[in-house]
Amino acid sequence: MSTAEARLRDRIGGGRALALIDGNSFYCSCERVFDAKLARVPVIVLSNNDGCAIARTPEAKALGIKMGDPYFKIRGLCEAQGVRVFSSNYTLYGDMSARINAIYRDSTPDVEVSSIDESFLDLTAFVRRDRVALARDIRATVRAWTGIPTCVGIGPTKTLAKLANHIAKTVPELDGVCDLTEPTAYEHWLCRIHVGELWGVGRASLPKLEAMGIDTVADLRDIDPRPVRKALTVVGERMIHELRGVSCLGLELVPARRKGCAVTRSFSGRVTERSELEQAVAAHATRLGEKLRREGLGTDHITVFYHTSEHDRGEPMRSVSTMVTLPEATNDTLALIPAALHGVARTWREQGSPPWRYSKAGVVTVDLKPLAASQRALIGQLDRERAGRLMGALDVCNARFGRGSVVPARAGLAQQRRTWTTKFEMRTPRYTTQVDELPVAHA
DNA sequence: AGTGTCACCAACCGGGCC
DNA sequence: TTCCGGCCCGGTTGGTGA
């Protein structure tokens, strides 16, 4: 590419520079912060219920442990190879994430927190040389202050920043930073990265692109967008424009009000009793209420679902999903629980033999509304004042004594919770957020 | 014995309506 | 009266990433 073309392409990017910073094997790195013996040994963190591997250090990846591998299938390998295995500790990871984002905000206020371990930073105001220097500085600070290793990708659009981050992670010589606003680097890398690595290309889209003869990211950038739009919808077309430097995905500095909220869990065993299913559903409704109250949101209908496992081949299968309407929008646990239980009552079928063995249940809402502004019911109005005071007291107790200290009896008392509660058998302490779980230093 | 949770988007489809 | 097309809607489905 000529210099003139390079300048043009630079201008097409609008001179914008976005950085995507993320934590390397984030959950594993959080565990390593609190146990020096975990350095350089393979570490994995499991999903809820100790089901699958969802975070792996490079040492664990090298042993062939894949993202999403069921733990019961790799357990032998882990024991033989000395892999350190942890249940997920979201309280800890969430707190580490907040600390890291506070460090990012020391460099620029323009930060979009896009997930628990990734944030976009707008570096447009910095000249190119300073951007890379700043990226190295941020990495070093996060490492020094929190112990978490990170990588930084810089590009004129989100898609290119994300791609740059992937390159920074996989090419050791780059020392954790890749800048694709640099035209030479842009030309160099796009034709060397497989299109399957691109953000937005998953298991369904990849074969479609391959069928169109697309192999590298550069192939996708240079193809006629129309057939791609036909196969991958506007999402695919947007990807092409983003790769060309035309920004289609804006930076969202103010988190948008959430539109939906779900609480879903697999059971640690299989549930066959109606009373156990009811306990689980009531507990999920309780948690839903907590989440909605925290954000001042309410809902006037909830969907309750429960189903057997796809993996239980040869057993009777059943999947239930039902929507229950409330008289008006609420986040009162004592209104949500009866609604959720109504969903069970309406759909429960007496067990035959063999019985349905349910593996998972959940409570889901869409269309959340800010409660202050929501339409009041003409009939069946709920007593918001009274419910508000009661729920406020409940939330205060649970904040002080730990979640689940005070729960409605329908959600089950500790000694009744057997078959359905989630497993976390290998969870580390919540080092940074619970006083009684602080790490102890021995002098 | 046992295979995660959650949010969001886009497409699609059927029903109601004009 | 019936049919049709276009539009909006609500609900469902499938895809994605982390």
mmCIF file of all heavy atoms in Angstrom, chain A residues 115 117 162 199-201 204-205, chain C residues 10-12 14-18:
data_model
loop_
_atom_site.group_PDB
_atom_site.id
_atom_site.type_symbol
_atom_site.label_atom_id
_atom_site.label_comp_id
_atom_site.label_asym_id
_atom_site.label_seq_id
_atom_site.Cartn_x
_atom_site.Cartn_y
_atom_site.Cartn_z
ATOM 1 N N SER A 115 -17.306 -5.742 30.101
ATOM 2 C CA SER A 115 -17.619 -6.980 30.819
ATOM 3 C C SER A 115 -16.760 -7.003 32.070
ATOM 4 O O SER A 115 -16.004 -6.064 32.320
ATOM 5 C CB SER A 115 -17.355 -8.215 29.956
ATOM 6 O OG SER A 115 -15.967 -8.482 29.920
ATOM 7 N N ASP A 117 -14.098 -8.360 32.794
ATOM 8 C CA ASP A 117 -12.640 -8.264 32.629
ATOM 9 C C ASP A 117 -12.202 -7.433 31.428
ATOM 10 O O ASP A 117 -11.033 -7.446 31.083
ATOM 11 C CB ASP A 117 -12.016 -9.655 32.552
ATOM 12 C CG ASP A 117 -12.188 -10.279 31.180
ATOM 13 O OD1 ASP A 117 -13.246 -10.051 30.569
ATOM 14 O OD2 ASP A 117 -11.280 -10.964 30.713
ATOM 15 N N LYS A 162 -10.450 -4.795 19.424
ATOM 16 C CA LYS A 162 -10.613 -6.149 19.928
ATOM 17 C C LYS A 162 -9.647 -7.108 19.222
ATOM 18 O O LYS A 162 -9.025 -7.967 19.849
ATOM 19 C CB LYS A 162 -12.068 -6.564 19.679
ATOM 20 C CG LYS A 162 -12.444 -7.875 20.232
ATOM 21 C CD LYS A 162 -13.124 -7.764 21.567
ATOM 22 C CE LYS A 162 -13.393 -9.170 22.061
ATOM 23 N NZ LYS A 162 -13.788 -9.252 23.433
ATOM 24 N N TRP A 199 -14.067 -10.956 16.586
ATOM 25 C CA TRP A 199 -15.186 -10.724 17.502
ATOM 26 C C TRP A 199 -16.489 -10.727 16.698
ATOM 27 O O TRP A 199 -16.620 -9.968 15.744
ATOM 28 C CB TRP A 199 -14.975 -9.368 18.168
ATOM 29 C CG TRP A 199 -15.901 -9.005 19.254
ATOM 30 C CD1 TRP A 199 -16.492 -9.833 20.158
ATOM 31 C CD2 TRP A 199 -16.330 -7.674 19.577
ATOM 32 N NE1 TRP A 199 -17.252 -9.103 21.033
ATOM 33 C CE2 TRP A 199 -17.164 -7.772 20.700
ATOM 34 C CE3 TRP A 199 -16.092 -6.417 19.034
ATOM 35 C CZ2 TRP A 199 -17.769 -6.654 21.283
ATOM 36 C CZ3 TRP A 199 -16.676 -5.311 19.625
ATOM 37 C CH2 TRP A 199 -17.498 -5.441 20.735
ATOM 38 N N GLY A 200 -17.381 -11.601 16.994
ATOM 39 C CA GLY A 200 -18.646 -11.669 16.268
ATOM 40 C C GLY A 200 -18.733 -12.857 15.327
ATOM 41 O O GLY A 200 -19.794 -13.158 14.794
ATOM 42 N N VAL A 201 -17.599 -13.521 15.095
ATOM 43 C CA VAL A 201 -17.607 -14.720 14.257
ATOM 44 C C VAL A 201 -17.533 -15.936 15.180
ATOM 45 O O VAL A 201 -16.489 -16.202 15.760
ATOM 46 C CB VAL A 201 -16.431 -14.720 13.261
ATOM 47 C CG1 VAL A 201 -16.422 -16.010 12.456
ATOM 48 C CG2 VAL A 201 -16.512 -13.514 12.347
ATOM 49 N N ALA A 204 -21.497 -20.562 14.379
ATOM 50 C CA ALA A 204 -22.487 -20.599 13.305
ATOM 51 C C ALA A 204 -22.025 -19.809 12.079
ATOM 52 O O ALA A 204 -22.321 -20.194 10.949
ATOM 53 C CB ALA A 204 -23.825 -20.054 13.814
ATOM 54 N N SER A 205 -21.335 -18.699 12.310
ATOM 55 C CA SER A 205 -20.970 -17.820 11.195
ATOM 56 C C SER A 205 -19.729 -18.293 10.456
ATOM 57 O O SER A 205 -19.608 -18.090 9.246
ATOM 58 C CB SER A 205 -20.724 -16.400 11.710
ATOM 59 O OG SER A 205 -21.781 -15.976 12.519
ATOM 60 P P DG C 10 -46.226 -4.324 22.140
ATOM 61 O OP1 DG C 10 -47.613 -3.907 21.984
ATOM 62 O OP2 DG C 10 -45.427 -3.890 23.286
ATOM 63 O "O5'" DG C 10 -46.161 -5.916 22.129
ATOM 64 C "C5'" DG C 10 -47.377 -6.656 22.236
ATOM 65 C "C4'" DG C 10 -47.067 -8.131 22.146
ATOM 66 O "O4'" DG C 10 -46.556 -8.441 20.821
ATOM 67 C "C3'" DG C 10 -46.002 -8.596 23.135
ATOM 68 O "O3'" DG C 10 -46.448 -9.843 23.672
ATOM 69 C "C2'" DG C 10 -44.754 -8.777 22.277
ATOM 70 C "C1'" DG C 10 -45.349 -9.170 20.933
ATOM 71 N N9 DG C 10 -44.524 -8.822 19.774
ATOM 72 C C8 DG C 10 -43.787 -7.663 19.584
ATOM 73 N N7 DG C 10 -43.174 -7.638 18.431
ATOM 74 C C5 DG C 10 -43.516 -8.833 17.828
ATOM 75 C C6 DG C 10 -43.144 -9.356 16.572
ATOM 76 O O6 DG C 10 -42.411 -8.859 15.703
ATOM 77 N N1 DG C 10 -43.713 -10.613 16.342
ATOM 78 C C2 DG C 10 -44.539 -11.260 17.230
ATOM 79 N N2 DG C 10 -44.982 -12.456 16.850
ATOM 80 N N3 DG C 10 -44.905 -10.782 18.408
ATOM 81 C C4 DG C 10 -44.349 -9.567 18.638
ATOM 82 P P DG C 11 -45.628 -10.482 24.841
ATOM 83 O OP1 DG C 11 -46.628 -10.839 25.853
ATOM 84 O OP2 DG C 11 -44.456 -9.666 25.186
ATOM 85 O "O5'" DG C 11 -45.113 -11.821 24.158
ATOM 86 C "C5'" DG C 11 -46.062 -12.663 23.485
ATOM 87 C "C4'" DG C 11 -45.288 -13.688 22.692
ATOM 88 O "O4'" DG C 11 -44.710 -13.034 21.542
ATOM 89 C "C3'" DG C 11 -44.124 -14.308 23.469
ATOM 90 O "O3'" DG C 11 -44.197 -15.726 23.392
ATOM 91 C "C2'" DG C 11 -42.886 -13.776 22.796
ATOM 92 C "C1'" DG C 11 -43.379 -13.469 21.385
ATOM 93 N N9 DG C 11 -42.619 -12.399 20.749
ATOM 94 C C8 DG C 11 -42.324 -11.157 21.240
ATOM 95 N N7 DG C 11 -41.618 -10.424 20.431
ATOM 96 C C5 DG C 11 -41.417 -11.241 19.336
ATOM 97 C C6 DG C 11 -40.720 -10.987 18.119
ATOM 98 O O6 DG C 11 -40.116 -9.981 17.775
ATOM 99 N N1 DG C 11 -40.772 -12.085 17.267
ATOM 100 C C2 DG C 11 -41.421 -13.270 17.549
ATOM 101 N N2 DG C 11 -41.354 -14.219 16.608
ATOM 102 N N3 DG C 11 -42.077 -13.520 18.661
ATOM 103 C C4 DG C 11 -42.033 -12.460 19.508
ATOM 104 P P DT C 12 -43.129 -16.626 24.035
ATOM 105 O OP1 DT C 12 -43.843 -17.772 24.606
ATOM 106 O OP2 DT C 12 -42.248 -15.785 24.872
ATOM 107 O "O5'" DT C 12 -42.289 -17.117 22.780
ATOM 108 C "C5'" DT C 12 -42.976 -17.578 21.616
ATOM 109 C "C4'" DT C 12 -41.948 -17.961 20.570
ATOM 110 O "O4'" DT C 12 -41.388 -16.754 20.006
ATOM 111 C "C3'" DT C 12 -40.756 -18.751 21.142
ATOM 112 O "O3'" DT C 12 -40.525 -19.862 20.298
ATOM 113 C "C2'" DT C 12 -39.602 -17.762 21.113
ATOM 114 C "C1'" DT C 12 -39.989 -16.868 19.940
ATOM 115 N N1 DT C 12 -39.423 -15.502 19.992
ATOM 116 C C2 DT C 12 -38.706 -15.037 18.910
ATOM 117 O O2 DT C 12 -38.504 -15.714 17.912
ATOM 118 N N3 DT C 12 -38.240 -13.754 19.026
ATOM 119 C C4 DT C 12 -38.400 -12.909 20.100
ATOM 120 O O4 DT C 12 -37.935 -11.775 20.090
ATOM 121 C C5 DT C 12 -39.150 -13.456 21.212
ATOM 122 C C7 DT C 12 -39.386 -12.616 22.429
ATOM 123 C C6 DT C 12 -39.624 -14.709 21.101
ATOM 124 P P DG C 14 -34.163 -22.273 17.210
ATOM 125 O OP1 DG C 14 -34.308 -23.352 16.225
ATOM 126 O OP2 DG C 14 -34.025 -22.552 18.652
ATOM 127 O "O5'" DG C 14 -32.933 -21.372 16.766
ATOM 128 C "C5'" DG C 14 -33.046 -20.562 15.603
ATOM 129 C "C4'" DG C 14 -31.831 -19.664 15.540
ATOM 130 O "O4'" DG C 14 -32.027 -18.534 16.417
ATOM 131 C "C3'" DG C 14 -30.539 -20.350 15.992
ATOM 132 O "O3'" DG C 14 -29.554 -19.998 15.043
ATOM 133 C "C2'" DG C 14 -30.274 -19.759 17.382
ATOM 134 C "C1'" DG C 14 -30.883 -18.367 17.230
ATOM 135 N N9 DG C 14 -31.328 -17.718 18.462
ATOM 136 C C8 DG C 14 -32.018 -18.274 19.513
ATOM 137 N N7 DG C 14 -32.284 -17.402 20.461
ATOM 138 C C5 DG C 14 -31.737 -16.215 19.993
ATOM 139 C C6 DG C 14 -31.708 -14.925 20.578
ATOM 140 O O6 DG C 14 -32.170 -14.561 21.656
ATOM 141 N N1 DG C 14 -31.051 -14.005 19.754
ATOM 142 C C2 DG C 14 -30.506 -14.292 18.536
ATOM 143 N N2 DG C 14 -29.914 -13.280 17.893
ATOM 144 N N3 DG C 14 -30.521 -15.488 17.978
ATOM 145 C C4 DG C 14 -31.151 -16.394 18.767
ATOM 146 P P DG C 15 -28.110 -20.616 15.120
ATOM 147 O OP1 DG C 15 -27.774 -21.010 13.749
ATOM 148 O OP2 DG C 15 -28.021 -21.581 16.228
ATOM 149 O "O5'" DG C 15 -27.237 -19.353 15.510
ATOM 150 C "C5'" DG C 15 -27.353 -18.160 14.760
ATOM 151 C "C4'" DG C 15 -26.562 -17.097 15.469
ATOM 152 O "O4'" DG C 15 -27.316 -16.642 16.612
ATOM 153 C "C3'" DG C 15 -25.211 -17.582 15.999
ATOM 154 O "O3'" DG C 15 -24.198 -16.779 15.420
ATOM 155 C "C2'" DG C 15 -25.303 -17.398 17.516
ATOM 156 C "C1'" DG C 15 -26.410 -16.355 17.657
ATOM 157 N N9 DG C 15 -27.166 -16.428 18.898
ATOM 158 C C8 DG C 15 -27.803 -17.522 19.430
ATOM 159 N N7 DG C 15 -28.406 -17.264 20.563
ATOM 160 C C5 DG C 15 -28.139 -15.917 20.791
ATOM 161 C C6 DG C 15 -28.522 -15.071 21.854
ATOM 162 O O6 DG C 15 -29.190 -15.356 22.849
ATOM 163 N N1 DG C 15 -28.051 -13.779 21.686
ATOM 164 C C2 DG C 15 -27.292 -13.348 20.619
ATOM 165 N N2 DG C 15 -26.929 -12.080 20.617
ATOM 166 N N3 DG C 15 -26.922 -14.128 19.621
ATOM 167 C C4 DG C 15 -27.379 -15.390 19.769
ATOM 168 P P DT C 16 -22.707 -17.161 15.601
ATOM 169 O OP1 DT C 16 -22.016 -16.655 14.419
ATOM 170 O OP2 DT C 16 -22.603 -18.576 15.990
ATOM 171 O "O5'" DT C 16 -22.292 -16.288 16.847
ATOM 172 C "C5'" DT C 16 -22.285 -14.873 16.738
ATOM 173 C "C4'" DT C 16 -21.999 -14.269 18.080
ATOM 174 O "O4'" DT C 16 -23.135 -14.480 18.943
ATOM 175 C "C3'" DT C 16 -20.827 -14.913 18.808
ATOM 176 O "O3'" DT C 16 -19.673 -14.118 18.586
ATOM 177 C "C2'" DT C 16 -21.258 -14.924 20.285
ATOM 178 C "C1'" DT C 16 -22.654 -14.326 20.260
ATOM 179 N N1 DT C 16 -23.606 -15.006 21.159
ATOM 180 C C2 DT C 16 -24.188 -14.264 22.168
ATOM 181 O O2 DT C 16 -23.935 -13.086 22.329
ATOM 182 N N3 DT C 16 -25.054 -14.956 22.963
ATOM 183 C C4 DT C 16 -25.391 -16.292 22.853
ATOM 184 O O4 DT C 16 -26.182 -16.796 23.638
ATOM 185 C C5 DT C 16 -24.755 -17.013 21.789
ATOM 186 C C7 DT C 16 -25.055 -18.463 21.586
ATOM 187 C C6 DT C 16 -23.899 -16.340 20.989
ATOM 188 P P DG C 17 -18.285 -14.657 19.092
ATOM 189 O OP1 DG C 17 -17.266 -14.097 18.195
ATOM 190 O OP2 DG C 17 -18.365 -16.118 19.323
ATOM 191 O "O5'" DG C 17 -18.165 -13.936 20.496
ATOM 192 C "C5'" DG C 17 -18.536 -12.559 20.610
ATOM 193 C "C4'" DG C 17 -18.457 -12.176 22.058
ATOM 194 O "O4'" DG C 17 -19.620 -12.682 22.763
ATOM 195 C "C3'" DG C 17 -17.238 -12.770 22.774
ATOM 196 O "O3'" DG C 17 -16.693 -11.798 23.623
ATOM 197 C "C2'" DG C 17 -17.811 -13.949 23.543
ATOM 198 C "C1'" DG C 17 -19.210 -13.450 23.874
ATOM 199 N N9 DG C 17 -20.176 -14.518 24.073
ATOM 200 C C8 DG C 17 -20.252 -15.727 23.428
ATOM 201 N N7 DG C 17 -21.232 -16.477 23.832
ATOM 202 C C5 DG C 17 -21.855 -15.719 24.811
ATOM 203 C C6 DG C 17 -22.989 -16.010 25.616
ATOM 204 O O6 DG C 17 -23.688 -17.017 25.628
ATOM 205 N N1 DG C 17 -23.282 -14.959 26.487
ATOM 206 C C2 DG C 17 -22.585 -13.786 26.558
ATOM 207 N N2 DG C 17 -23.006 -12.896 27.452
ATOM 208 N N3 DG C 17 -21.529 -13.501 25.808
ATOM 209 C C4 DG C 17 -21.219 -14.507 24.964
ATOM 210 P P DA C 18 -15.203 -11.915 24.073
ATOM 211 O OP1 DA C 18 -14.497 -10.845 23.372
ATOM 212 O OP2 DA C 18 -14.766 -13.329 23.964
ATOM 213 O "O5'" DA C 18 -15.221 -11.559 25.623
ATOM 214 C "C5'" DA C 18 -16.278 -10.817 26.217
ATOM 215 C "C4'" DA C 18 -16.535 -11.441 27.561
ATOM 216 O "O4'" DA C 18 -17.620 -12.392 27.452
ATOM 217 C "C3'" DA C 18 -15.323 -12.213 28.090
ATOM 218 O "O3'" DA C 18 -14.948 -11.730 29.355
ATOM 219 C "C2'" DA C 18 -15.772 -13.656 28.165
ATOM 220 C "C1'" DA C 18 -17.287 -13.510 28.239
ATOM 221 N N9 DA C 18 -17.973 -14.683 27.730
ATOM 222 C C8 DA C 18 -17.558 -15.553 26.752
ATOM 223 N N7 DA C 18 -18.385 -16.539 26.533
ATOM 224 C C5 DA C 18 -19.420 -16.311 27.427
ATOM 225 C C6 DA C 18 -20.603 -16.991 27.702
ATOM 226 N N6 DA C 18 -20.971 -18.115 27.080
ATOM 227 N N1 DA C 18 -21.412 -16.492 28.645
ATOM 228 C C2 DA C 18 -21.047 -15.371 29.284
ATOM 229 N N3 DA C 18 -19.953 -14.645 29.115
ATOM 230 C C4 DA C 18 -19.166 -15.165 28.161
#
